[in-house]
Amino acid sequence: MLAGFRSFAKSPFAVVLFGLLIVSFAVFGISDVFRHPPGKWVIAAGSRNVPPEDFKTRFEGYRKQQQAQGQTITPDLAVEAGLDRQMLQQLALQESMAELIRQMGIRPSDKLVGDILREQLAGLPPGQRPFDPITGKFDPKMYAALLAENQLNPARYEATLRDDIAQTQMLAAVAGGLRAPRIYSALQAAYGLEARDLAAFAINPSIVEKPAPPTDAQLQAFMKEHAEQLTRPETRVLSVARFSAKALEPSATVNEADVVKTFNFRKDTLGVAETRSYVQVFAPDAKAAAVIAQRLAKGDQPAVVASAYGKQPVMIDSKPKSALPDAKVAAAVFALAEGQVSPPIAGDLGVSVVKLVKINPPTVPTLESQRPAIEAELKVQAAQAKAYEQTQTYQDAHDGGANLLDAATKAGALVLTTAPVAAQGVDESGQPVPGLTPEVLKTAFELSSGGESELIEAGKGEYYAVRVEKIIPKALPPLAEIKPQLTQQWMITKLLERMKAKADELGARVKKGESMEAVAAAAGSNVQRVPNITRENARQFQGLGRDLLVTTFGAKPGEPFTARAPQGGFLVAKVEAVRPGATPQMARITEAMRGQTSQGLLRDVSLAAQDAAKAQLKTKVNLDLARQAIGVDTTLLPKDGGKPKAKEKAQ
């Protein structure tokens, strides 16, 4: 797309079109030109509409979280996994509940919203708080910039905060009057404390016939049976041309004249103004102020002097003159010597006396002190300019008919040819391939073999172009390539099948009346007994294996069953006894769990309320528009909205 813009910008049609756009903006306004037409929403719940850009913002936030955890999620992969549907449905439930609460008249006051917002902002790390570092006052521009970093704006964030407060207050009111019946927690206590005594013996592999090595025909059949697990996904060999300002920084040079020019331009803002610390004591009138000044000059403590008039001294620490709200006090403070006391000051905020505690002289930056930072910044700018210049050279060569490799070589760009890589950005061993962004992968898997992309701008002086050198369709690997591993897996599978059959056979003997000991002895094994297994203490018996534990709690007393052994193989087992928990312990747990049971009931009520709100408001969702908002080509999706089709493009 970047290449297209550049080519178009050189044409005479661009001048005419831009002129028409300027006229339309002047006549109709910019907002009217770009406003969505009626009905352009992904969710409509009563009076609330969620526009496509809001859904895209939420999706991008989720995608960044997953990328931080090492997962690459493209829009097409999100559709394939059903994440877009899940996010849309969850958002529809939330919007429905918020709208229903609004219709009920539950609305937090502006003061409450403001108080909670201030608490949230005050809880941020010091460097992120949107308060002026000198005056300490709230800075709306810093606040908006902070939200913009998270793709939010003040109106949207505060509306979400208002919804959260209203829903929290409503649920708190419901929770205050909701208490689960005692029988609920009593049933949970009985369920958790039910104790079972288990007897089991393992099947010895030596008592079953070992399978013979498989023939090729058997392996082919085994491959076909497990085709889904064995099929390798489509992979592509890519050549990626990278135009990187970051990579160019070490070789970037800086002109000394530019360093001096930048320093001279900024030196007035780089220094730190003189600041002063002082103590201020307010007086009821000028006469009292004169007495206060005399006592402070004699060395009396400000707190003692102020207490005589029922006041507290005000301590001001390290403030520049411009940050002091009272101009008369500021003039007096910055006229004093360190330790000196002022005469009475008739300021804008009342009569007072100040004593200067400390003077912090101004700091004046030098060129040498600022040189490292300025040179680093100028290097970044030079590298970005060089990277952009490379893209121009590349684009001109590419437009002239050169292929990606030749054009990139002429521009001096780095070219990486990858090993076969899947759409998720991993190689054949499942390891991530470095240097492939989600945008590069998405573009690469939309091209046909031999296809080349336009330049992809990744921001901050980073550009990419990609060429598909080869497409390797998804397919089963050749038998010869995986024969040793497949043979081993086939023999293990067959051995386990025979061990399972032997376990079923021995279990049937126990079921007919033979004792566990007799059957185990005949199989060359020993019976092991584990008493008092409960759902509460199941963690203590994790060594038995999940399959055996789960089956134990579902088995009928006295009826034998088979289960997988934790170290492989199979077990024949039987629950020999089932006992209820001790009454005192059940009573104690019943009361202890009642609060937790009530919380669980509240969660169920909340989920049911969301479903009811959605049904009552007849909330509508627009899945196609939501997918288009995140960059999915919905024309390539099947009618049932399932997985995307493979895109076909002419070379």
Side-chain angles (χ1 to χ4, degrees):
M1 183 172 289
L2 185 61
F5 284 155
R6 286 179 179 144
S7 299
F8 178 73
K10 298 174 183 178
S11 71
F13 298 100
V15 177
V16 178
L17 178 58
F18 292 159
L20 290 174
L21 283 174
I22 292 170
V23 172
S24 68
F25 290 165
V27 176
F28 301 105
I30 294 177
S31 60
D32 289 333
V33 175
F34 292 103
R35 184 175 297 159
H36 288 295
K40 282 290 184 179
W41 41 257
V42 296
I43 297 171
S47 64
R48 301 170 69 95
N49 292 334
V50 177
E53 52 268 24
D54 281 8
F55 183 77
K56 180 182 179 181
T57 297
R58 293 171 187 257
F59 176 79
E60 290 299 329
Y62 173 79
R63 189 161 76 161
K64 286 181 180 178
Q65 290 177 358
Q66 298 305 305
Q67 287 177 352
Q69 298 173 10
Q71 283 187 294
T72 300
I73 296 181
T74 65
D76 286 339
L77 288 176
V79 171
E80 187 173 347
L83 293 176
D84 58 330
R85 288 181 184 270
Q86 294 175 23
M87 291 182 66
L88 189 62
Q89 292 302 322
Q90 185 59 41
L91 186 56
L93 290 171
Q94 293 173 0
E95 291 295 315
S96 300
M97 193 66 194
E99 171 65 9
L100 190 62
I101 291 174
R102 186 196 68 79
Q103 292 183 7
M104 293 166 62
I106 302 175
R107 302 175 191 175
S109 67
D110 292 341
K111 182 179 183 303
L112 178 59
V113 174
D115 290 345
I116 292 179
L117 181 59
R118 278 191 290 273
E119 289 179 10
Q120 291 180 345
L121 297 177
L124 293 173
Q128 298 180 16
R129 297 172 188 166
F131 298 100
D132 188 282
I134 297 177
T135 65
K137 294 181 179 179
F138 175 74
D139 189 331
K141 291 183 179 179
M142 294 177 65
Y143 172 54
L146 175 65
L147 293 177
E149 291 177 4
N150 297 283
Q151 291 77 49
L152 293 171
N153 57 52
R156 186 187 304 170
Y157 178 72
E158 289 162 20
T160 301
L161 180 60
R162 191 177 296 274
D163 288 343
D164 290 343
I165 294 171
Q167 186 162 340
T168 299
Q169 290 191 346
M170 191 198 76
L171 290 177
V174 174
L178 180 66
R179 193 174 187 194
R182 188 176 282 106
I183 188 62
Y184 283 23
S185 54
L187 288 171
Q188 290 185 346
Y191 181 77
L193 293 175
E194 179 188 77
R196 296 187 168 219
D197 296 341
L198 179 69
F201 65 87
I203 302 301
N204 192 330
S206 63
I207 67 173
V208 298
E209 181 183 358
K210 292 185 179 179
T215 64
D216 286 357
Q218 288 174 315
L219 288 177
Q220 291 285 4
F222 190 68
M223 286 182 67
K224 187 175 181 180
E225 183 181 350
H226 298 86
E228 186 175 349
Q229 299 97 308
L230 293 173
T231 297
R232 292 172 177 171
E234 177 189 307
T235 56
R236 300 188 171 203
V237 177
L238 309 176
S239 288
V240 182
R242 180 189 177 197
F243 305 84
S244 172
K246 194 70 176 176
L248 292 169
E249 280 181 29
S251 61
T253 57
V254 177
N255 190 305
E256 175 65 17
D258 291 336
V259 175
V260 174
K261 181 180 178 181
T262 302
F263 172 75
N264 290 335
F265 180 75
R266 296 182 180 174
K267 64 181 179 181
D268 290 339
T269 62
L270 294 174
V272 178
E274 176 185 323
T275 62
R276 297 196 169 198
S277 301
Y278 63 91
V279 59
Q280 183 177 16
V281 178
F282 283 92
D285 50 44
K287 184 177 180 180
V291 176
I292 292 172
Q294 292 175 0
R295 293 187 61 184
L296 290 176
K298 291 179 180 178
D300 289 356
Q301 292 297 317
V304 175
V305 175
S307 65
Y309 300 92
K311 298 182 181 296
Q312 294 287 335
V314 178
M315 301 297 300
I316 304 298
D317 184 46
S318 300
K319 292 293 184 182
K321 187 174 184 179
S322 59
L324 300 180
D326 193 321
K328 295 177 181 177
V329 172
V333 167
F334 277 78
L336 297 174
E338 195 167 297
Q340 191 176 1
V341 177
S342 74
I345 305 168
D348 297 334
L349 303 177
V351 181
S352 64
V353 177
V354 298
K355 180 177 181 178
L356 188 61
V357 177
K358 185 179 180 182
I359 298 175
N360 298 309
T363 59
V364 179
T366 64
L367 174 60
E368 293 310 311
S369 68
Q370 299 299 315
R371 180 182 295 278
I374 293 175
E375 287 183 346
E377 182 181 344
L378 292 179
K379 275 193 172 186
V380 170
Q381 294 174 2
Q384 290 178 349
K386 179 64 176 176
Y388 182 76
E389 181 183 332
Q390 286 183 336
T391 65
Q392 296 285 340
T393 304
Y394 170 88
Q395 193 63 59
D396 290 341
H398 199 256
D399 290 345
N403 62 27
L404 179 143
L405 179 60
D406 292 341
T409 301
K410 184 174 182 180
L414 302 171
V415 179
L416 164 72
T417 299
T418 70
V421 58
Q424 293 81 5
V426 297
D427 59 22
E428 293 177 330
S429 65
Q431 297 301 311
V433 177
L436 297 181
T437 67
E439 291 76 14
V440 170
L441 287 168
K442 182 177 185 298
T443 302
F445 276 80
E446 291 175 349
L447 297 170
S448 56
S449 181
E452 297 183 357
S453 75
E454 297 176 351
L455 280 169
I456 304 167
E457 187 171 0
K460 295 184 179 180
E462 299 293 320
Y463 308 85
Y464 297 88
V466 60
R467 171 186 171 87
V468 178
E469 302 290 353
K470 183 180 180 182
I471 296 178
I472 305 168
K474 67 176 182 178
L476 284 168
L479 175 59
E481 187 176 325
I482 61 170
K483 187 172 182 178
Q485 301 92 325
L486 198 64
T487 297
Q488 182 182 18
Q489 189 59 49
W490 185 90
M491 295 188 71
I492 291 173
T493 300
K494 293 303 177 184
L495 179 62
L496 289 174
E497 288 175 357
R498 295 179 183 185
M499 291 177 68
K500 175 67 166 62
K502 177 58 71 174
D504 291 340
E505 175 190 327
L506 297 176
R509 289 173 58 181
V510 174
K511 189 173 184 179
K512 290 179 179 178
E514 292 187 58
S515 68
M516 291 281 287
E517 284 76 10
V519 176
S525 187
N526 296 311
V527 177
Q528 302 292 328
R529 285 184 166 80
V530 184
N532 200 40
I533 304 174
T534 71
R535 292 177 178 85
E536 287 289 319
N537 67 13
R539 288 179 179 271
Q540 302 174 21
F541 300 98
Q542 289 181 347
L544 297 176
R546 185 178 184 277
D547 188 46
L548 180 57
L549 279 175
V550 170
T551 311
T552 295
F553 288 117
K556 295 180 180 179
E559 186 172 317
F561 60 89
T562 59
R564 289 295 299 266
Q567 305 302 326
F570 285 88
L571 299 163
V572 176
K574 182 173 69 173
V575 175
E576 295 187 320
V578 177
R579 298 183 305 278
T583 301
Q585 189 178 10
M586 285 185 60
R588 184 172 63 254
I589 292 180
T590 295
E591 285 304 312
M593 292 185 64
R594 198 169 182 191
Q596 181 180 344
T597 305
S598 296
Q599 291 178 1
L601 183 59
L602 178 62
R603 284 193 296 271
D604 292 342
V605 169
S606 301
L607 294 175
Q610 287 184 338
D611 290 333
K614 184 180 175 185
Q616 180 175 329
L617 296 170
K618 298 180 180 179
T619 300
K620 298 177 182 178
V621 297
N622 190 330
L623 181 59
D624 279 349
L625 190 58
R627 286 173 169 174
Q628 292 167 14
I630 63 176
V632 174
D633 188 348
T634 54
T635 62
L636 297 176
L637 295 176
K639 291 183 179 180
D640 61 359
K643 297 180 180 180
K645 299 176 184 176
K647 297 188 178 183
E648 298 180 358
K649 287 189 177 181
Q651 295 187 23

